[in-house]
Amino acid sequence: VHDLGKVVAMLLSHCLASLTTIHSVPCIGPEITGLFYPQYGIVLDAGSSHTNLYVYEWPAEKENDTGVVHQVEVCKVEGLGISGYSHDTEKAGLSLQHCMKRAQEVVPEQHHRETPVYLGATAGMRLLSLQNRSIADRVLSAVEKTLRSSPFNFQGARVISGQEEGAYGWITINYLLGNFKSSRGTSGALDLGGASTQITFVPDQEPIESQENSLHFRLYGKNYNVYTHSFLCYGKDQALRLKLSTQNGSLLDPCFHPGYLRIMNISDLYTNPCIANGEQQLPFTQLHLQGNGDYQRCRMTIQKIFNTSSCPYSSCSFNGIFLPPLQGEFGAFSAFYFVMNFLNLTTEKSPVPLDKATSTVESFCSRPWHEVKAEFPKIKEKYLSEYCFSGTYILSLLENGYGFTMEKWQNIQFLGKIGSSDAGWTLGYMLNLTNMIPAEKPPTRPLSHASYVGLMVFCSLVLVAVLLLSWLAFHKPKCLQKGLI
Ligand SMILES: *[C@@H]1O[C@H](CO)[C@@H](O)[C@H](O)[C@H]1NC(C)=O
Ligand SMILES: *[C@@H]1O[C@H](CO)[C@@H](O)[C@H](O)[C@H]1NC(C)=O
Ligand SMILES: *[C@@H]1O[C@H](CO)[C@@H](O)[C@H](O)[C@H]1NC(C)=O
Ligand SMILES: *[C@@H]1O[C@H](CO)[C@@H](O)[C@H](O)[C@H]1NC(C)=O
Ligand SMILES: *[C@@H]1O[C@H](CO)[C@@H](O)[C@H](O)[C@H]1NC(C)=O
Ligand SMILES: *[C@@H]1O[C@H](CO)[C@@H](O)[C@H](O)[C@H]1NC(C)=O
Ligand SMILES: *[C@@H]1O[C@H](CO)[C@@H](O)[C@H](O)[C@H]1NC(C)=O
């Protein structure tokens, strides 16, 4: 009995061990092994208008599997984006404290010291660096001070380039969609922030005509030649400033609802490297915007911020920037998603056709401001008042800027989350910095689904045998004792 018991115990432990190392089987995948070995990573996305903190979790043994790393928390930092604290840089650091506390609650205490924390700042800080490098550095030191004083493993706070922002967004969505390890193609990535916008995809055309728009990756044993471009100043907030600056201080603004009034200081409009003719002195200090909600005219004024007068390549988007012919499916996220979602233009299944989207934005813009305000009393007026402009800008950018015609438009899917994770650059950034996306294919799993089922059945039989044996050991039935003696 003793020897038999040993053999069974060995088989059982072997069974458990093999079960916990099976990765690709959904019923016992990350959830179970994750209970034994979770790891965490924290990324702060310091955008132009606000900062988000993301906590990611993954089971340690399976770190290279696509879709295994997932978001468990997002904390929205109150107040301005870090670049908004240029007049009081210490506050940029203090503003992050609340979300860092939240991260300490989400990540179990025994994991704090090993959990990496990264901060990546995007176009708001790129603009501040162009304006005044020393102030931008002071803002970064202030946030670094806060992050260093947390119990986590601080790994750096830096301004990421537009190219990186585009690349990591593309990596994030393709990782989450499981495209790298499948035979289907990759999805392009469309990202819209407050101060910049990115377009990234694998074009048909090779090689990519412009070096600065070309990236090469080898992931899971496949090569990818990726086109990317980040348009600084073409995020939705900076695009609105650009548009206002071309407007000659005119009173009526077609991109705001009829009855809407906003007074802006001209100085606020021009203290920014996005507005080229900053020296141009206007004969007044304030701009009185008065909406008239005219979608067609709004499209025309927006069109003026896309300079299509020259193109040194075979094809361009605008401002002389190379754009190869659009290829494949696209995921559009961040503000592309938030704005379109507000306008009810993000459907789960088939995309809303372009003409339907256009007429929806058109009729939304024409609604009187008092009516819109009454329907959405919970949304801050500043944000609510800008959905008409933002919706129109998105259509202009995608249709005129990038050339998503009626048919190509159908290939765009507006994405908020994929699974539990927000679409955005942060996950791709962390995956790369922790070397979690291997260049070569990890060795194929030894078990097929059929052999997994077989193993499960076998393990169950072993378990039954163990129970039977322990019963026998305790009760020592006479017949068996005799037989063994
Ligand atoms: C940057 O800001 C600092 C502090 O406000 C100021 O002293 C300096 O002149 C500015 N530099 C530039 C290039 O504007
Ligand atoms: C602004 O006004 C000037 C002078 O009235 C005019 O020449 C120019 O075309 C206007 N620009 C725009 C963008 O309307
Ligand atoms: C415009 O500037 C004045 C004086 O500098 C300031 O008091 C006011 O708050 C500013 N208005 C806006 C809308 O920023
Ligand atoms: C458009 O770009 C061309 C060439 O890059 C430049 O000469 C022209 O001034 C630009 N037009 C506007 C309106 O900015
Ligand atoms: C979106 O749909 C909801 C629910 O049907 C509706 O209450 C809301 O007014 C719609 N939003 C817009 C901007 O029309
Ligand atoms: C990822 O990290 C490696 C270094 O570990 C770097 O060479 C590579 O360029 C990074 N990928 C991206 C998309 O930046
Ligand atoms: C994941 O990939 C990295 C880099 O390719 C490698 O060093 C690491 O051993 C891999 N981890 C596992 C569990 O396969």
Side-chain angles (χ1 to χ4, degrees):
V1 176
H2 209 69
D3 282 348
L4 198 58
K6 257 188 192 165
V7 170
V8 172
M10 201 190 75
L11 279 174
L12 189 63
S13 71
H14 191 76
C15 271
L16 286 176
S18 37
L19 280 179
T20 51
T21 54
I22 295 168
H23 303 270
S24 44
V25 184
C27 57
I28 197 163
E31 299 76 22
I32 299 272
T33 46
L35 289 177
F36 301 138
Y37 310 110
Q39 281 190 9
Y40 298 87
I42 298 170
V43 186
L44 290 105
D45 171 0
S48 60
S49 58
H50 70 274
T51 301
N52 275 340
L53 177 148
Y54 297 95
V55 181
Y56 297 103
E57 185 192 271
W58 65 93
E61 282 199 15
K62 309 191 297 155
E63 55 191 22
N64 291 335
D65 273 9
T66 123
V68 163
V69 180
H70 59 279
Q71 177 182 320
V72 290
E73 174 76 8
V74 53
C75 178
K76 198 171 169 181
V77 172
E78 292 286 316
L80 308 169
I82 59 170
S83 56
Y85 293 102
S86 56
H87 298 294
D88 193 353
T89 53
E90 281 305 305
K91 280 213 178 117
L94 299 178
S95 72
L96 306 181
Q97 278 174 347
H98 169 76
C99 281
M100 291 307 287
K101 286 241 169 63
R102 178 74 196 123
Q104 287 177 49
E105 291 162 16
V106 173
V107 177
E109 193 166 349
Q110 70 268 28
H111 291 290
H112 284 178
R113 283 165 57 95
E114 81 219 18
T115 297
V117 53
Y118 306 92
L119 181 140
T122 54
M125 285 296 287
R126 272 174 230 140
L127 289 173
L128 184 59
S129 300
L130 289 174
Q131 238 177 303
N132 190 322
R133 185 64 189 264
S134 72
I135 292 188
D137 287 344
R138 256 189 275 161
V139 169
L140 282 178
S141 320
V143 302
E144 181 170 339
K145 205 169 113 193
T146 297
L147 300 184
R148 271 193 196 287
S149 69
S150 79
F152 302 114
N153 176 13
F154 175 68
Q155 293 283 309
R158 52 181 283 263
V159 180
I160 67 167
S161 69
Q163 208 182 56
E164 285 179 284
E165 196 178 356
Y168 294 129
W170 179 84
I171 288 176
T172 300
I173 67 166
N174 286 291
Y175 173 86
L176 291 173
L177 294 170
N179 290 339
F180 293 134
K181 294 180 93 182
S182 79
S183 53
R184 60 180 174 271
T186 53
S187 268
L190 297 164
D191 186 358
L192 178 65
S196 73
T197 187
Q198 287 74 239
I199 176 169
T200 309
F201 64 101
V202 175
D204 258 349
Q205 188 190 65
E206 269 193 75
I208 293 168
E209 278 173 51
S210 140
Q211 264 310 305
E212 67 196 273
N213 297 124
S214 165
L215 299 168
H216 177 84
F217 303 121
R218 187 170 171 81
L219 308 169
Y220 299 105
K222 274 189 251 172
N223 289 314
Y224 297 96
N225 288 313
V226 182
Y227 163 87
T228 189
H229 189 78
S230 175
F231 290 91
L232 190 60
C233 302
Y234 285 81
K236 64 181 177 56
D237 303 333
Q238 292 301 332
L240 175 58
R241 288 161 152 244
L242 278 177
K243 185 202 79 92
L244 293 173
S245 75
T246 63
Q247 231 161 259
N248 270 351
S250 109
L251 281 174
L252 285 180
D253 192 312
C255 300
F256 290 93
H257 295 280
Y260 179 76
L261 192 73
R262 184 193 291 190
I263 298 170
M264 285 185 72
N265 287 336
I266 295 283
S267 58
D268 290 345
L269 206 53
Y270 286 102
T271 52
N272 181 315
C274 287
I275 316 291
N277 47 352
E279 301 81 39
Q280 178 194 325
Q281 286 304 309
L282 293 170
F284 36 80
T285 58
Q286 289 189 324
L287 198 60
H288 290 244
L289 290 181
Q290 197 185 318
N292 68 348
D294 183 339
Y295 172 82
Q296 294 302 339
R297 286 199 160 277
C298 178
R299 275 290 283 257
M300 281 160 55
T301 58
I302 289 173
Q303 202 51 45
K304 288 186 192 149
I305 71 173
F306 302 126
N307 184 346
T308 50
S309 68
S310 71
C311 177
Y313 302 99
S314 63
S315 56
C316 282
S317 45
F318 52 92
N319 298 359
I321 301 296
F322 173 59
L323 179 73
L326 300 170
Q327 173 61 37
E329 304 278 316
F330 282 82
F333 47 90
S334 318
F336 279 124
Y337 176 79
F338 305 137
V339 172
M340 297 307 258
N341 190 47
F342 170 81
L343 295 166
N344 293 331
L345 293 172
T346 53
T347 50
E348 290 284 313
K349 295 177 196 107
S350 59
V352 178
L354 181 55
D355 51 356
K356 169 90 194 318
T358 305
S359 63
T360 300
V361 179
E362 182 160 9
S363 77
F364 177 68
C365 286
S366 68
R367 293 177 64 187
W369 174 236
H370 67 85
E371 195 186 299
V372 173
K373 220 166 49 169
E375 189 177 344
F376 303 98
K378 289 198 190 118
I379 303 179
K380 271 195 197 159
E381 284 196 13
K382 157 110 169 74
Y383 299 129
L384 186 59
S385 68
E386 290 178 11
Y387 279 121
C388 164
F389 167 77
S390 302
T392 312
Y393 176 62
I394 286 172
L395 294 175
S396 298
L397 177 65
L398 295 178
E399 196 179 349
N400 308 114
Y402 297 153
F404 282 94
T405 54
M406 198 78 96
E407 304 88 64
K408 300 238 169 184
W409 173 267
Q410 295 299 116
N411 297 331
I412 302 177
Q413 200 190 355
F414 292 93
L415 293 168
K417 282 180 185 292
I418 304 172
S420 66
S421 308
D422 289 29
W425 59 268
T426 50
L427 176 56
Y429 188 62
M430 186 189 74
L431 291 173
N432 192 51
L433 291 177
T434 51
N435 284 317
M436 264 194 287
I437 304 193
E440 300 306 327
K441 223 184 190 136
T444 48
R445 306 278 171 225
L447 286 180
S448 67
H449 186 73
S451 41
Y452 169 74
V453 171
L455 185 65
M456 283 296 275
V457 169
F458 176 67
C459 287
S460 312
L461 287 176
V462 170
L463 191 66
V464 168
V466 167
L467 291 174
L468 192 63
L469 272 169
S470 27
W471 184 81
L472 286 175
F474 274 108
H475 293 260
K476 293 194 173 50
K478 282 200 180 108
C479 59
L480 200 64
Q481 282 180 9
K482 253 186 216 152
L484 284 172
I485 295 161

